[in-house]
Amino acid sequence: MIILNVSKEAFLSYLSFEKKYSEHTIVAYKRDITEFYEFCRAHFQIETIEEVDYVLIRSWVVALVDENVSNRTINRKISSLKAYYRFLQRIGRTSVNPLAHHKSLKVLNTIEVPFSEKEMQQVLEQTSFENSFEGRRDKLIIELLYTTGIRRAELINMKINDIDLNRNTVLVLGKRNKERIVPLLDTAIIAFKEYFEKREELVSIVDGSYVFLLKSGRKIYDTLVYRVIHKYISKVSTKLKISPHILRHTFATHLLSKGADINSVKELLGHATLASTQIYARNSISELKRVHQNAHPRSKK
């Protein structure tokens, strides 16, 4: 009999070394699979793969719904489990994937509202950032997320050697270890220099190869980035959703609304396909209409 949890570590290694998934993604997969394993043991005393069928998995889905877990989150958890079973089939640990014919739960398409140009101007030009290590760091975090569109994980893992202040560029390590070079605006260069001056004053630096540090000298973490974004942007915006991803969303929307080529925005964002970038184009359609109206020779201005 094959213990349900026995191949989990092998699966996680596969995601890391073969699929080149980020640490953040791997942690999510591990959490989802562990949660399912614990559900099987607690509610059905099941510990072997042969005992797991689709009825049991549906029971897990129902339990998640009863706990008010969103359909989007449930779909992600099932996606993790489905990938795990595909891996088990690949290595010959099981011949059956109980999720082979599973259909995802319906998810309402919610429109993420970007911050306005006025809001971003207020937070970066009118907000009072303290002239301290943390103040300079926090401003650089917001400046960089807004003017480059990089992901939160890409910012956290940015290293000193990735930055070229002479060429005004930064080398970004994206999903699945795909590299891209992103240009830096003059405002970001100034923010970098101000931050590095304060960074040199730290008493102890533990994770010195990374750009963004805590006062303790260690690398920053996910929650801190969320706190920084919410702390400052909530002062100028009344939007309910304030997060690092909304800044990435805002970056793309503002570029497209000013007539930027969608393929160029795709490259800046590090998207694998154009479909991912087109999501942002939908939200800037009103501004694109204005650009079209003003620029086309046939328009009646």
Side-chain angles (χ1 to χ4, degrees):
M1 302 288 271
I2 303 171
I3 303 300
L4 180 63
N5 210 29
V6 71
S7 299
K8 186 174 71 176
E9 294 307 319
F11 173 61
L12 298 176
S13 295
Y14 162 75
L15 295 181
S16 177
F17 297 109
E18 291 195 41
K19 300 296 285 184
K20 305 295 184 183
Y21 285 177
S22 69
E23 182 180 348
H24 177 74
T25 300
I26 293 171
V27 168
Y29 272 91
K30 182 178 181 179
R31 182 174 59 245
D32 295 337
I33 294 168
T34 301
E35 183 180 322
F36 176 67
Y37 170 67
E38 292 174 349
F39 176 83
C40 290
R41 292 194 64 184
H43 296 276
F44 295 94
Q45 291 76 52
I46 288 177
E47 296 191 11
T48 61
I49 288 174
E50 288 87 345
E51 295 177 273
V52 175
D53 57 19
Y54 187 63
V55 173
L56 189 152
I57 295 173
R58 285 292 299 176
S59 297
W60 186 42
V61 171
V62 171
L64 292 172
V65 171
D66 289 342
E67 294 171 8
N68 292 320
V69 178
S70 70
N71 285 7
R72 189 181 301 276
T73 299
I74 293 173
N75 286 342
R76 193 210 68 227
K77 291 178 181 295
I78 294 298
S79 178
S80 298
L81 194 59
K82 188 182 292 186
Y84 181 47
Y85 270 100
R86 283 199 299 265
F87 171 76
L88 293 176
Q89 285 182 300
R90 176 182 175 181
I91 64 175
R93 302 303 292 267
T94 183
S95 59
V96 179
N97 185 343
L99 283 159
H101 303 293
H102 173 78
K103 292 183 179 180
S104 299
L105 302 180
K106 290 184 178 180
V107 176
L108 295 176
N109 291 323
T110 56
I111 298 176
E112 293 185 332
V113 181
F115 303 118
S116 67
E117 291 183 38
K118 180 179 179 181
E119 286 172 331
M120 293 313 303
Q121 183 179 22
Q122 285 179 324
V123 75
L124 287 169
E125 297 182 13
Q126 298 176 23
T127 299
S128 178
F129 291 90
E130 292 183 5
N131 187 30
S132 62
F133 166 76
E134 291 181 331
R136 296 297 104 190
R137 180 201 63 197
D138 293 354
K139 182 176 183 180
L140 177 58
I141 286 175
I142 298 173
E143 179 77 44
L144 207 57
L145 289 173
Y146 174 53
T147 61
T148 65
I150 61 175
R151 301 176 177 93
R152 170 188 39 77
E154 293 169 346
L155 178 133
I156 291 172
N157 293 308
M158 185 178 294
K159 295 187 175 181
I160 297 289
N161 292 338
D162 296 333
I163 304 166
D164 190 335
L165 296 183
N166 293 319
R167 295 185 178 181
N168 290 17
T169 60
V170 60
L171 178 66
V172 178
L173 185 64
K175 289 185 175 180
R176 302 181 188 180
N177 291 332
K178 184 179 179 181
E179 295 181 340
R180 69 184 186 279
I181 295 177
V182 177
L184 297 172
L185 297 181
D186 290 342
T187 52
I189 296 295
I190 293 171
F192 262 119
K193 291 179 178 178
E194 292 176 343
Y195 166 67
F196 282 137
E197 286 181 6
K198 296 297 181 181
R199 189 180 186 273
E200 290 177 359
E201 298 175 3
L202 291 178
V203 176
S204 174
I205 295 181
V206 180
D207 299 321
S209 61
Y210 292 96
V211 173
F212 293 97
L213 304 176
L214 305 170
K215 285 184 71 175
S216 64
R218 294 190 178 278
K219 184 175 74 166
I220 62 171
Y221 49 90
D222 292 352
T223 310
L224 181 131
V225 179
Y226 277 98
R227 286 208 303 261
V228 167
I229 301 305
H230 196 275
K231 173 183 176 180
Y232 291 98
I233 295 185
S234 62
K235 294 178 180 179
V236 301
S237 176
T238 58
K239 291 181 175 62
L240 294 177
K241 189 168 183 180
I242 297 175
S243 71
H245 181 72
I246 299 298
L247 275 180
R248 177 172 163 86
H249 181 72
T250 301
F251 163 82
T253 302
H254 288 183
L255 284 183
L256 290 167
S257 70
K258 295 298 183 181
D261 174 64
I262 193 169
N263 283 295
S264 298
V265 176
K266 167 183 171 290
E267 294 302 316
L268 289 170
L269 291 171
H271 282 159
T273 64
L274 194 60
S276 299
T277 315
Q278 287 171 334
I279 295 172
Y280 303 113
R282 297 193 195 110
N283 292 284
S284 59
I285 189 63
S286 60
E287 185 63 24
L288 289 174
K289 285 180 179 178
R290 185 190 65 78
V291 171
H292 177 253
Q293 180 70 21
N294 291 337
H296 199 282
R298 290 284 294 168
S299 68
K300 296 179 181 181
K301 304 174 184 177

